[in-house]
Amino acid sequence: MAQGTARIGKDKYRTQISVGGRDIVADEPPALGGQGAGFAPYDLLLASLGACTAITLRMYADRKGWPMESLEVALRLHGIEEKRIDRTLTIAGLDDEQRARMADIAERTPVTLTLKNGLPIDTRLA
């Protein structure tokens, strides 16, 4: 089970995040009143999706014994009210059939399914 904390003090928008024993900083860019000291929240969302996609596809290629040389997952978030993510896979070392299978697998990675299906969030006060 994943666990994490996010703490913010008086520094405008700079947030210290600890997840899985590792620390990162989140912040908003100066255009939104932050200092640009870390990743913006939607940057972290794209990072999670990109990492999950890359890792899952590497695992799949390795299990199949496919000679995948490299994989790049390009992500772009669009929209204000109706948000959507464009994901482009650039895969080296595989044939067209293998690449098509990888695109199919990308649609079923854990983070992809979580985002597509939604996730209940229960909020309470300590």
Side-chain angles (χ1 to χ4, degrees), residues 29-85:
L32 295 177
Q35 300 168 3
F39 300 102
Y42 277 116
D43 295 341
L44 293 168
L45 180 71
L46 291 180
S48 178
L49 178 61
C52 184
T53 301
I55 291 167
T56 300
L57 295 182
R58 169 47 69 193
M59 288 177 173
Y60 188 83
D62 289 349
R63 275 197 304 269
K64 291 290 190 178
W66 290 354
M68 185 172 77
E69 295 169 13
S70 65
L71 165 69
E72 178 179 294
V73 182
L75 299 158
R76 184 169 182 159
L77 179 67
H78 297 274
I80 295 171
E81 307 245 344
E82 294 278 329
K83 293 199 183 318
R84 80 172 205 289
I85 296 172

